[in-house]
Amino acid sequence: TMALHAPAFVAPGKATLRQTRRGSTASRDRASVQVRNCGGCTRRELITGVVSGTSLNNAREIEEAVSSKARSAYDQQFARTMEVGMADYELHMRTVKDELFGNLAKFHDPRGTLVEIGMGTGPNMRYYEGLNVVGVEPNEESHSYAHENANRHGVKSLKCVRGFGESLPLEDASVDTVVSTLVMCTVDDVERTLAEVRRVLRPGGAYLFLDHVAAPPGTPLRTMQEALNPLNRAAYEGCRLTRDPEAAVRATFGDDNCDVNRFIAGSTAQSWLVGTSPVDVAARWRETGVGLQPHFLLAPSVYGVARA
């Protein structure tokens, strides 16, 4: 749960309370506590994080203001978390990503356009040196991080666009390569998103993807994913721990046009979490212990290339 702290909203100086009255009719002649040095906000508005120099006239305005400020604060915090908190995950995935993005040399024309859906803060920019990139990302607070990473890794150009996978703001057959990593877990409609990918790709274009997926049925990890899925969805932009987009990718592009690989990342691959029977779980427990790697819930993964 993210707390909104008053110091982030209150102007410098000692905050004091005073009594004011709003309106002239009897029904509106109620005392309202306001906070000085806070733009004329009421105590309730301060507590909820709604601080404005103009009064809010009705419940709808208050609700919209709370929603807007809360969303902005959440987006800022989420962007910071993804930029810093996923560093160890990126380290675990480095070898796999090196292999996946090695396909760019085979499939992508450096003079063309590469589109990344769900670009986030730009952890994949290290693979786009010298390329023209369009990043589609609904969280605009992530865009500044992406530009910093693009500059750091020599990206030729980066255009950040606010958008969603289900409705890409791009023309038909307009791009050479589409990339998505850890995206299909959060989109509302996997099939529609993949149809959009197929629509914007030029004939012969490539779709590079990497996603965490559901663990094998009957394993302790699958049980944990299913139990924690509601909480994970609430905490991480709807991220579903039990999705698996492989079948949808194959249905969209055709089996003959897909090269797909599956793996379990890091030490989780040997741990008791992926034991397939009580005997297997016990044996793995004795051999590897109870320790869990960071982001173990995301360890089961699928990655590959699909051609348009």
Side-chain angles (χ1 to χ4, degrees), residues 128-150:
Y128 303 153
E129 181 179 359
L131 302 184
N132 299 304
V133 179
V134 175
V136 180
E137 169 57 50
N139 183 354
E140 293 179 296
E141 300 296 338
S142 297
H143 293 183
S144 61
Y145 292 102
H147 278 292
E148 290 175 5
N149 284 318

Side-chain angles (χ1 to χ4, degrees), residues 46-278:
L46 176 63
I47 292 173
T48 57
V50 180
V51 178
S52 174
T54 59
S55 61
L56 301 178
N57 296 321
N58 54 52
R60 181 177 295 276
E61 290 180 0
I62 293 175
E63 180 181 0
E64 290 175 353
V66 170
S67 176
S68 176
K69 288 184 178 290
R71 181 73 232 185
S72 177
Y74 175 83
D75 284 350
Q76 292 175 24
Q77 182 61 40
F78 191 82
R80 285 193 294 268
T81 298
M82 295 304 290
E83 175 67 5
V84 178
M86 293 293 283
D88 49 0
Y89 175 85
E90 290 296 327
L91 185 61
H92 277 299
M93 291 294 170
R94 179 64 61 83
T95 300
V96 172
K97 282 194 172 185
D98 286 350
E99 178 186 340
L100 177 64
F101 286 103
N103 288 290
L104 288 177
K106 294 186 291 183
F107 299 133
H108 184 72
D109 183 347
R111 298 167 298 178
T113 300
L114 180 149
V115 172
E116 181 168 355
I117 305 172
M119 164 195 64
T121 60
N124 296 329
M125 294 298 159
R126 68 175 64 250
Y127 299 104
Y128 303 153
E129 181 179 359
L131 302 184
N132 299 304
V133 179
V134 175
V136 180
E137 169 57 50
N139 183 354
E140 293 179 296
E141 300 296 338
S142 297
H143 293 183
S144 61
Y145 292 102
H147 278 292
E148 290 175 5
N149 284 318
N151 291 334
R152 183 178 303 116
H153 294 292
V155 175
K156 184 177 180 180
S157 68
L158 171 62
K159 179 181 180 181
C160 295
V161 179
R162 186 179 187 277
F164 298 86
E166 295 88 346
S167 182
L168 295 176
L170 300 164
E171 299 294 328
D172 294 358
S174 60
V175 302
D176 301 276
T177 305
V178 176
V179 172
S180 71
T181 61
L182 304 189
V183 169
M184 293 303 163
C185 59
T186 58
V187 298
D188 290 334
D189 190 326
V190 173
E191 288 76 13
R192 183 175 174 184
T193 299
L194 290 171
E196 282 289 277
V197 171
R198 183 69 179 80
R199 177 183 66 80
V200 303
L201 277 173
R202 293 191 176 103
Y207 170 49
L208 281 61
F209 60 92
L210 166 65
D211 283 287
H212 65 81
V213 297
T219 61
L221 181 53
R222 177 65 170 266
T223 300
M224 295 173 72
Q225 286 178 325
E226 292 173 349
L228 293 173
N229 194 50
L231 178 60
N232 200 72
R233 289 189 63 181
Y236 294 103
E237 294 283 24
C239 174
R240 299 156 177 87
L241 295 171
T242 55
R243 267 207 178 149
D244 192 334
E246 180 179 349
V249 172
R250 292 185 180 277
T252 301
F253 292 89
D255 282 335
D256 292 341
N257 296 319
C258 296
D259 181 9
V260 182
N261 302 277
R262 304 178 75 90
F263 68 102
I264 297 176
S267 60
T268 301
Q270 290 77 43
S271 80
W272 60 274
L273 288 169
V274 293
T276 55
S277 69

